[in-house]
Amino acid sequence: MGRPSQHDVDRLLDAAVRLAAQSGPGSVTMAAVAREAGAPSGSVYHRFPSRAALLAALWLRTVDRFQEGFLAATHEEPPERAVMAAAGHVVAWSRANPLQARVLLYGPADFGESDWPQDARERLRTGNRRIEEALVALARRLGPGTPPEIERLVLATVDLPYATVRRHHQAGGSIPAHAEDLVARCAGLLLAQPVTGG
């Protein structure tokens, strides 16, 4: 049995996350990742054939890790609790994973999505569809699931929590523990408001 590689994929992607969080997506180059990981450049090229493949892997691993907990939260019962859990997850995960959260405050386009390998772009679309379908299903568990109701749900579980995370990151501080509860409570209050329009 061969020895495990010292510079495995996760170690290289961890280095890429640190670079992106500290200096933005443009700082993530093959050479910079090798330096940050203390690895030979060849080991980066061995695992990622191009910078586009590296950036795709960086984004997809990060978003997959985030979405796992978010999707689980949307299935909680009753549905009102699921909304609060999903909103709270955004803040709690971001507080526990500050560097990865900074990555997600960008978007896939910032990481060169248009140049990604085809299979990576398909993985991105599949992941996005899973989130959209989960939110539509949750909206229908709460009521008729009309477009305005879905819009309210996105505001409660995505827009409001991300605005909270972004504000704390831009201020240069950590996210306080009470932010998760505040966001969850605000999400719950949004559900209590009537939605008009069709």
Side-chain angles (χ1 to χ4, degrees), residues 107-119:
D110 297 305
F111 287 88
E113 174 195 351
S114 60
D115 297 323
W116 290 2
Q118 179 61 36
D119 63 329

Side-chain angles (χ1 to χ4, degrees), residues 1 20 30 43 47-48 50 56 80 83 90 94 107 115 118 122 127-128 139 153 155 165 171-173 181-182 193 195:
M1 179 181 294
M30 308 294 265
S43 77
R47 288 159 181 80
F48 306 103
S50 65
E80 293 81 6
V83 173
V90 175
S94 298
D115 297 323
Q118 179 61 36
E122 182 54 40
N128 289 342
L153 186 57
L155 176 66
V165 170
D181 182 61
L182 285 173
Q193 304 304 309
V195 178

Side-chain angles (χ1 to χ4, degrees), residues 142-168:
L142 289 160
T146 62
E149 289 169 334
I150 294 170
E151 182 72 16
R152 175 177 61 179
L153 186 57
V154 172
L155 176 66
T157 61
V158 179
D159 298 341
L160 173 63
Y162 263 110
T164 301
V165 170
R166 186 179 299 278
R167 176 168 56 85
H168 285 291

Side-chain angles (χ1 to χ4, degrees), residues 4-128:
S5 173
Q6 181 182 4
H7 305 295
D8 61 10
V9 169
D10 277 331
R11 180 173 176 178
L12 295 173
L13 290 178
D14 288 345
V17 165
R18 291 193 296 273
L19 290 167
Q22 292 161 6
S23 304
S27 68
V28 183
T29 65
M30 308 294 265
V33 168
R35 284 194 303 271
E36 179 69 20
S41 293
S43 77
V44 182
Y45 282 98
H46 177 67
R47 288 159 181 80
F48 306 103
S50 65
R51 180 171 181 261
L54 169 64
L55 292 173
L58 163 60
W59 177 264
L60 291 170
R61 188 189 72 159
T62 306
V63 80
D64 285 350
R65 289 177 171 183
F66 166 77
Q67 287 181 349
E68 181 181 2
F70 186 87
L71 288 168
T74 65
H75 290 98
E76 290 196 18
E77 291 291 352
E80 293 81 6
R81 177 179 173 80
V83 173
M84 296 175 69
H89 169 76
V90 175
V91 178
W93 187 90
S94 298
R95 187 174 67 249
N97 303 278
L99 297 182
Q100 293 179 84
R102 286 184 182 274
V103 168
L104 292 187
L105 289 175
Y106 291 98
D110 297 305
F111 287 88
E113 174 195 351
S114 60
D115 297 323
W116 290 2
Q118 179 61 36
D119 63 329
R121 283 184 279 143
E122 182 54 40
R123 272 186 61 194
L124 176 66
R125 287 191 290 270
T126 299
N128 289 342

